[in-house]
Amino acid sequence: MQAYLPRYRQPDADSLANLSAAIVVDQKRLGGNSRSTVGTATDTYSLLRVLYSRCGTPTAGGPNLFSFNDPQGMCGECNGLGRVAAIDVDGLVDREKSLNEGAITFPTFAVDSANWGYIVSSGFFDNDKPLRDYTDDEWHKLLHLTDVKVKMKLAGSTLNATYEGLLPKFRRLYVAKGSENLQPHLREAYDRAVSTQACAVCGGTRLCQAALASRINGKNIADCTAMQASDLADFVRGIEAAQVAPLVSALLSQLDNLVHIGLGYLSLDRETSTLSGGESQRVKMVRHLGSSLTDLTYVFDEPSVGLHPHDVHRLNELLVRLRDNGNTVLVVEHKPEVMAIADHIVDMGPGAGRHGGQVVYQGDFAGLGSSGTLTGDQLRRNQDIKTELREPTGKLRIEDADLHNLRNVSVDIPTGVLTVVTGVAGSGKSSLIQGCLPRQCPTAVIIDQAVGRGSKRSNPATYTGMLDPIRKAFASANKVSAALFSANSKGACKQCQGLGLIYTDLGHLESVASPCEACEGKRFTTEVLAHKLRGRDISEVLSMSIAEASEFFTEKDIVRTLRALNDVGLGYLSLWQPLSTLSGGERQRLKLASELGNTGQVYVLDEPTTGLHMNDVDQLITLLDRLVDNGSTVIVIEHNVDVIARADWVVDLGPGAGHDGGRIVFEGTPRQLADASGSLTGQYLAKHRSDATSN
């Protein structure tokens, strides 16, 4: 097996010393399938299962009987998913047509396809008869009949085959996989025909009846997982059985960590695929906080993402606790509140991309402010609260919104201005704006951090459409076909198929990528690399940063796109950097760049300051103002106080998270918010104003 593993060069470093085992806690979404929940990801559900197996009445058996991922515990109807697929027959067939006319509308059952051939060759049907005229027996055979041996004539020969009706075959081929695992051209057709609904047997709880019948203090295990973590912690504290005291203590420790880190509004049955990047990171953190291991190195990538200023101090306490347990904690962070607790700070710069890569300061937080670096200079200034406000041109009305934790919320969002929607994590901001606003304004453009379905070949050049004019520029300069300059076509290296990397499949482990030895990672054949544009080959150009490419290209359409990417602060990215390596904030700014030239739109941005240095936040605010001044309405879901201070209008949700939130606690201007009582955001904005005045 070792012969098949990739071999790596030595690290590009003069020396590496005193390294301990490292654990990286990043913002990569937990993802997972529908069987992965907050409870399973944090191991709290395992503790809860053991608790019910020992204290539940009537006794249901061992912990496995309370697991929806175990055949003993899962509901037999939905196999532990809590949902069942409902197929709309009219989404699969056109009753006005015959089989020969293409009555089965799903693409893979089209006329002359193999799936179609098995049905029309079965001998059960008059293939020219419209489906509307079918008898009950014919409908049964078409839709439901299965495992029947028939003689079929296919391709001029007669063969013995097993007939399978449309619905069982469709369930086997597609429903079993799920929409997310289908090819894009099938996904739309699938979604037209299939909907999901709560399992009628288990009521969506996923568990067998024996598990649901077992209770502690009147609640079964599904009742517990449906509670938000803060409420579940209170329930567990009420369990006084002496024989499970250590178990209760361990479970409470995990739940209290969830609450302390600002995730008390989550329930254990929440699927991990629905969590944001920041929430995913904090769930991972909870998993490590219960570890008794020491002398580890923890690396956190912007752990404050998604946190309201009110919750940052809780995050700081957890980081300090990890350090005090005998570990090394490295934090990549932009927020001064997190920097302030550090024992040692390393500031990189002086700029980004090719203008960075140097250590410009090392020392304590106090010294950073007077270091003269860009970070140090930003620590000494704050955005003033805006006083010259734009006049709204109209309003978007949201009426009686009750999605998730919203409590019949009605609110007017002014148009033609910059509105910031804020509140603590879990207060209902995204539910209100991303969940309810599109009903009122279906044309709203949502610019979020969602990960697209791009392949390994997706990058900024392909996403923005720049690659085609770049290829045409090379083709024109060299009088050859533009297809030569595509790594997906004629010009691709035959060894790596134009990827520049060779992927080694390690079975159940994650695949490993190593540079292609044939093209040395350049992706193209030697013939293609011989063609130049202003002295550079296609691989050299696509390896440029966006900032470098802006100086290289003179073609107007390319320059226009590059300028927009620079404006959103992405000048340090290379044109061919895989989208899979970009953070959520970088993906969001990539989407924003494509909108800068548009006018008269309604834009919704979800925490656009994610991953931004304080200096880049200033640039972002300028861009948002530019969108509004071009005649658009901009609505920003945000915690950053600098952004709130520069808004024309603020909507603050709260006062807390989960069922303690879901209400409007303030509507008005930033200056009015800073003077308002009863708003946590207002308190931090008032402090921000005080700091700006003192500076």
Side-chain angles (χ1 to χ4, degrees), residues 479-549:
K479 307 295 189 249
V480 294
S481 169
L484 273 179
F485 303 99
S486 170
N488 303 326
S489 186
K490 293 182 180 179
C493 167
K494 302 298 185 291
Q495 187 74 19
C496 63
Q497 306 300 313
L499 287 173
L501 298 169
I502 300 295
Y503 288 87
T504 305
D505 186 2
L506 300 181
H508 65 282
L509 299 177
E510 189 172 347
S511 61
V512 174
S514 53
C516 173
E517 295 181 0
C519 66
E520 297 179 340
K522 294 181 179 180
R523 308 187 183 196
F524 293 95
T525 63
T526 304
E527 175 196 356
V528 173
L529 295 176
H531 298 300
K532 309 283 185 179
L533 175 65
R534 294 190 276 278
R536 301 289 188 94
D537 66 45
I538 184 71
S539 179
E540 291 173 325
V541 168
L542 292 175
S543 297
M544 289 179 177
S545 69
I546 288 167
E548 290 174 310

Side-chain angles (χ1 to χ4, degrees), residues 104-111 113 185-186 189-190 192:
I104 304 177
T105 58
F106 197 76
T108 56
F109 287 80
V111 174
S113 67
H185 73 284
L186 297 180
Y190 177 94
R192 282 199 306 267

Side-chain angles (χ1 to χ4, degrees), residues 49-120:
R49 289 194 292 113
V50 176
L51 182 64
Y52 266 83
S53 69
R54 295 183 181 177
C55 292
T57 53
T59 301
N64 285 2
L65 201 74
F66 294 94
S67 172
F68 49 80
N69 291 328
D70 189 287
Q72 295 183 51
M74 67 174 57
C75 168
E77 180 68 18
C78 64
N79 294 319
L81 295 176
R83 299 187 297 270
V84 291
I87 301 175
D88 178 8
V89 174
D90 289 320
L92 289 180
V93 302
D94 182 346
R95 297 173 188 258
E96 299 302 312
K97 294 181 179 179
S98 67
L99 290 174
N100 280 339
E101 292 173 327
I104 304 177
T105 58
F106 197 76
T108 56
F109 287 80
V111 174
D112 292 331
S113 67
N115 288 328
W116 173 86
Y118 272 93
I119 293 176
V120 299

Side-chain angles (χ1 to χ4, degrees), residues 33-37 67-70 73-85 175-178 180 190 196-200 202-208 269 271:
N33 57 31
S34 56
R35 296 187 181 278
S36 176
T37 65
S67 172
F68 49 80
N69 291 328
D70 189 287
M74 67 174 57
C75 168
E77 180 68 18
C78 64
N79 294 319
L81 295 176
R83 299 187 297 270
V84 291
V175 175
K177 293 180 180 179
E180 66 277 7
Y190 177 94
T196 58
Q197 56 193 33
C199 173
C202 68
T205 63
R206 306 170 176 240
L207 293 165
C208 66
D269 62 4
E271 292 182 12

